[in-house]
Every structure is written in structure tokens, then in C-alpha cells.
Amino acid sequence: MATIETSTWTTKVGLARMLSGGVIMDVVTADQAKLAQEAGAVAVMALERVPSDIRKFGGVARMSDPKLIEEIKAAVSIPVMAKCRIGHIAEAQILQQLEVDFIDESEVLTPADEEHHIDKHEFRVPFVCGCRDLGEALRRIGEGAALIRTKGEAGTGNIVEAVRHMRAVTRGIRELAGMRDDELYAAAKELRAPLDIVRQTATLGELPVPNFSAGGVATPADASLMRQLGAQSVFVGSGIFKSEHPERVARAIVMATAHWDNAEILAEVSTGLGEPMHGLELSEIPAEERLALRGW
Amino acid sequence: MAAPSPIDRAPRSRVGILALQGDVREHADAIREIGGEPVSVRLPRDLVGLDALILPGGESTTMRNLIDRYGLREPIRAFADGGAPILGTCAGMILLAARIANGDEPVLGLLDVTVRRNAYGRQLDSFEADLSVPALGAEPLHGVFIRAPVVSELGGGVEVLARDADERPIAVRQGNILATAFHPELTSDRRVHRLLLEMIGQ
């Protein structure tokens, strides 16, 4: 082998592609991480609190303690992700120093910058970012996100926002794909996104990086629904460890994500899971407490 | 005899891709590009009528779970015993191996090697490099390694097709089983996938 190049765009997006069809699970302890791995998680998100507890706890939500992240890294062989605040370059630098496999610049934490997201091209670790529509997705890709997830509304166990955001993204892509080349300039202006990435998306008929779903997935059927709407994978936060039987729910969501279009298997794995996490109706959440509205 | 019309041509090779998790689409695109027909394999019945099989990149622990839940181990072994070629890339190589270095139980045991998972380290150590693969011609093959494994011990009868800078095997072949530690599906060079198709019926 001649020259070796690390942390290239291909290796960053490549890891995202390897996660396709899998389930990324939020975990708050090393034991939960092990349980997630045994249940078939494709990666874990190391956190101090799952989003539903962040909601309850209130205050400023920040990056997790490096000690917790190290414990979780030591406990599993699958990739470990961790969250930093939107625009918080220093938290991202710390997470890179800890050698996490993916950084989630996440609206679930309290934003550190109300104007700028992190310049993710500057980092060697790949980033995932949330979006509510196509413009937001393309702006994040422009900044260097190697993976996009629709935001949904984290910590609610309510899939309605995830559906809204995924439909917005895929509808936006269909519209772009149907445009003449000379219409893409105006489209880029409207989407407030870089022209080259708008063009690339129009040509591909899909985002140039994988597109996953997050925020509200609580049941195997939710996972299947998001895959049917175009998500290549799902992030599950509070849905697993806030349910009555986390291990059963974790295994069932893994099966449902892989066999998303097989109703026979979906019926089988949905059976006898016990009480799912207690959900939140969106109208019960005041606008200022909506996490999805964070990020620009 | 007149040149055969398109309809008289040999049927396209049907190449199964284990579609439980991982970069299935990238393999499907590669197979389509070289004239094969990709077929998703998620249950034992999906293996019927296939000419070859690909085990893609992804997370081997996840795939192991999904393989066992619907009883795919024995059907895949029987498929290999029937002589059909199988290509495993990265996680796929781990699924094929007879031994796994950190003590994990092997899954399919179709390739007489020991593999070491995440042998280069974490994602920060993922890399790209040009590889010399004489069996595929003089032109170097560009390899993308993502949290990649290596072969740490070779059994008898395993041919090494490529080695890394430390001389560790990263592409091997044993009879109808072909495995790479890197991801030929992530680059545009189709020589590895072509080799798989050439192995059909050999």
C-alpha cells in the first residue's frame, strides 16, 4: 500500500452507509450499551440523559461527561456516537479527542450558537445533523454533515413530527429532481442551500449522504413507517429504555427496521412487548419547549 | 450463424445480497452496473435460484443477530456447499470467517481464516489507500477501509489476493469464497464484483 489517507469524505460517508438498515440506540450507562449491542443495535449514542428526561430535567443540556463516554466505548465493539450542542466547536473538539465514531450536532441539547452551526469539514470525525426540511438538510451537508437525520420531536414517543419532516425532505427532493437546470438557481436561493449540493441532489434524486430518521420512534411499527417513507435507518432515543421491557423492545425494533416491508414479521415482533414509553401529544408541548425548532 | 439477438443471450446472473443491514444498495448498484441482477436476501426462501451471494459491509454483530433470528446460517452454508460463489466485504468477511480473534463465536465458518475485528482502530483510523492485487491485474485497486478487520491467521488452501502495509492479508479467496477487508462497493472499480461473476459455475 502506498499513501494512506485517513478521515476522507469517503470514509466519513462510508461509515454512515455501513449503518444503513440498522438502529442507533440512545444509552446512558455501559450496561445499557451492552444490552443495545446484544439486541442488535448498529451503534449507540452515549448520553447522560435520554431526551424525555432532558425535557423533564430542564435547564441547560450539555455534552456528556467524557468519563461516561469512555465507559460506554470500553463496553461495546459497535460504533459509539455522542452529542454536542449546536455550534459548540469546543465540545466537538473534545468528542473528537475522545475518538467517538460519530458526533451528533444535536438540537436535543441547548444550542450554543443561534446563528452558526459547526464547520464540520474542519473535523476528522464524521458528523450527523438533524433537519426538518430539505433546505435544512442541504445546509448541513454544505457544512460537512456526512449523515442527515430528520429531527422529529425527541423525547415524545410521538412519531407525527418525524413523519412531517421526512415527508418534507422527500417531497422537496422530488420537486428538485423534476426541475430544469436553469430553475435550480432559484431553488437554491429558496432553499438557502449551496448550489452545488442542490444540483447534486437534483441529479441523484436523493440526498448525497444517507438519510435516517429520529425523534419519536417508540415501536417496531414506527420504525417500519419511517423506512417506508424513505429513511434508511432509525435513531431510537427514549423509546427503548423508557419502555416496560427495554430488551424486548430493542430486539423488536431491530427486526422491524430490517424487515420493514414484511407485515407478517412486523406483526410477530410487535406482539407482547408490554407497555411502550408513555408518549406526549405535541399540543401539550409549548412552542418554546419544542426541540425541533432549534437549529437554522 | 447470425449474431444472437438480445433475447437469446445467456440469462443475467442473479446475485443475492444479504439485505438485513449494511451497504446493500451500493452492492446492488455495482452488480447492476456489470450486467447482473441484484436480489435482496432476508429470509432462507430468498436464496432459491441465485447464482452468487454477497455479504455486505455493516455491523457484523447486528447481522449475526438478524441471521439467527430467521434461521439463515444453515441455508447459506448449504448454498456455499452447492458451489455457488460468495463475496464478503468487511463485516461480510467477519461473517464468513472460521475464527474471530477476540473470542466471538464464528457465524458461517466458510473461510478458513482468523479475522480480527476493528483491527486498525476506531473511525478516526478509517482510511483509503491504493492496493496491489495481482490477481486483478497490474492496475492498483483503490481500497476504502472503514473500521476494517484484517486476516490474522490463514488456514491451508486460502489464497492471499492482497496485503496491507504491514503484510497482513486484506483480500483472500478459498475455492468459491471471496472476502475483502475493504469496500469495493464504495469505489467505481468493479473488478472485485466482476471476479465474483466469473466464479459462477467454476
Side-chain angles (χ1 to χ4, degrees):
Chain A
M1 288 198 296
T3 351
I4 286 175
E5 274 190 285
T6 55
S7 301
T8 59
W9 182 243
T10 303
T11 63
K12 289 175 173 178
V13 180
L15 180 59
R17 297 198 191 286
M18 296 311 141
L19 302 174
S20 286
V23 180
I24 300 142
M25 300 185 191
D26 278 4
V27 297
V28 299
T29 64
D31 283 343
Q32 285 189 355
K34 280 186 206 157
L35 187 152
Q37 176 169 277
E38 277 159 28
V42 79
V44 290
M45 178 76 72
L47 282 166
E48 268 165 13
R49 290 184 197 89
V50 292
S52 65
D53 286 337
I54 291 177
R55 242 175 229 295
K56 273 188 219 151
F57 197 78
V60 175
R62 309 180 178 90
M63 175 189 81
S64 297
D65 188 328
K67 179 170 176 281
L68 174 79
I69 294 168
E70 292 290 7
E71 284 167 6
I72 288 170
K73 271 174 58 201
V76 294
S77 62
I78 56 178
V80 175
M81 303 187 177
K83 290 185 194 287
C84 72
R85 285 179 264 178
I86 291 172
H88 206 311
I89 303 161
E91 282 188 351
Q93 288 162 347
I94 292 168
L95 293 175
Q96 175 165 278
Q97 183 64 32
L98 296 174
E99 299 195 339
V100 300
D101 297 295
F102 240 104
I103 297 175
D104 185 1
E105 186 184 18
S106 178
E107 72 283 359
V108 167
L109 304 182
T110 311
D113 190 322
E114 293 194 332
E115 192 174 356
H116 306 100
H117 280 252
I118 294 171
D119 176 3
K120 294 163 274 284
H121 288 297
E122 285 297 304
F123 284 78
R124 292 177 294 125
V125 172
F127 276 73
V128 51
C129 287
C131 72
R132 280 165 300 169
D133 54 35
L134 182 59
E136 205 173 351
L138 299 182
R139 287 195 292 279
R140 296 297 88 78
I141 297 168
E143 296 154 3
L147 170 61
I148 289 295
R149 57 172 175 77
T150 45
K151 286 178 179 170
E153 187 60 30
T156 61
N158 189 339
I159 201 67
V160 65
E161 292 300 298
V163 168
R164 186 193 320 281
H165 300 157
M166 185 56 73
R167 283 199 185 272
V169 170
T170 52
R171 190 187 312 119
I173 294 173
R174 281 196 303 276
E175 284 168 10
L176 271 192
M179 284 181 191
R180 291 159 46 110
D181 285 351
D182 60 2
E183 291 170 335
L184 293 175
Y185 297 94
K189 197 171 68 182
E190 261 174 49
L191 291 165
R192 296 186 290 130
L195 178 63
D196 59 327
I197 293 170
V198 169
R199 275 207 184 110
Q200 215 184 335
T201 305
T203 307
L204 290 169
E206 61 179 10
L207 295 181
V209 304
N211 183 16
F212 294 1
S213 179
V217 177
T219 67
D222 290 343
S224 165
L225 172 62
M226 294 320 298
R227 290 217 64 186
Q228 293 189 47
L229 293 178
Q232 286 165 261
S233 244
V234 295
F235 285 78
V236 186
S238 324
I240 290 171
F241 289 100
K242 289 292 171 188
S243 68
E244 188 185 1
H245 298 294
E247 189 177 354
R248 263 188 239 169
V249 172
R251 283 185 190 278
I253 292 180
V254 169
M255 291 299 149
T257 305
H259 298 280
W260 55 279
D261 57 352
N262 184 329
E264 191 186 338
I265 290 179
L266 293 173
E268 182 196 323
V269 304
S270 298
T271 305
L273 294 179
E275 195 63 32
M277 78 175 277
H278 184 69
L280 259 181
E281 164 55 33
L282 267 291
S283 58
E284 295 168 23
I285 310 171
E288 63 274 16
E289 288 178 23
R290 296 271 187 102
L291 304 176
L293 303 180
R294 298 165 166 181
W296 6 96
Chain B
M1 212 172 84
S5 68
I7 210 155
D8 296 329
R9 259 197 234 144
R12 295 200 297 164
S13 300
R14 287 170 54 86
V15 180
I17 302 169
L18 188 69
L20 295 169
Q21 191 275 313
D23 66 339
V24 176
R25 290 172 37 170
E26 289 70 17
H27 275 293
D29 290 345
I31 289 299
R32 221 173 274 120
E33 222 180 282
I34 58 173
E37 181 190 346
V39 179
S40 286
V41 173
R42 286 186 282 177
L43 295 170
R45 63 173 185 240
D46 300 330
L47 288 164
V48 175
L50 298 181
D51 301 306
L53 179 66
I54 293 175
L55 311 177
E59 272 306 312
S60 59
T61 51
T62 305
M63 288 193 222
R64 170 202 301 267
N65 247 289
L66 291 157
I67 283 172
D68 285 343
R69 174 67 187 254
Y70 290 103
L72 268 163
R73 275 193 203 213
E74 286 314 316
I76 294 175
R77 284 190 190 131
F79 182 77
D81 287 346
I86 301 186
L87 165 65
T89 65
C90 195
M93 177 191 247
I94 298 167
L95 297 179
L96 287 168
R99 292 167 300 279
I100 301 174
N102 70 348
D104 282 352
E105 285 296 310
V107 183
L108 297 168
L110 290 168
L111 180 64
D112 189 11
V113 298
T114 306
V115 295
R116 182 174 298 281
R117 293 180 59 204
N118 302 337
Y120 297 93
R122 306 193 68 90
Q123 172 61 14
L124 277 178
D125 305 298
S126 291
F127 65 97
E128 302 180 47
D130 280 342
L131 309 170
S132 160
V133 192
L136 295 176
E139 183 81 9
L141 185 77
H142 193 66
V144 179
F145 294 74
I146 297 172
R147 291 170 45 92
V150 295
V151 172
S152 55
E153 276 172 30
L154 281 171
V158 180
E159 181 191 356
V160 176
L161 303 179
R163 293 179 185 273
D164 70 6
D166 298 323
E167 293 297 317
R168 298 179 295 186
I170 44 164
V172 293
R173 178 178 171 172
Q174 182 181 23
N176 55 330
I177 308 293
L178 181 62
T180 64
F182 52 92
H183 294 281
E185 71 278 14
L186 292 186
T187 53
S188 56
D189 191 324
R190 293 285 162 253
R191 281 178 288 170
V192 174
H193 289 86
R194 278 187 213 282
L195 175 60
L196 178 73
L197 293 198
E198 284 162 17
M199 285 162 65
I200 295 170
Q202 271 181 14

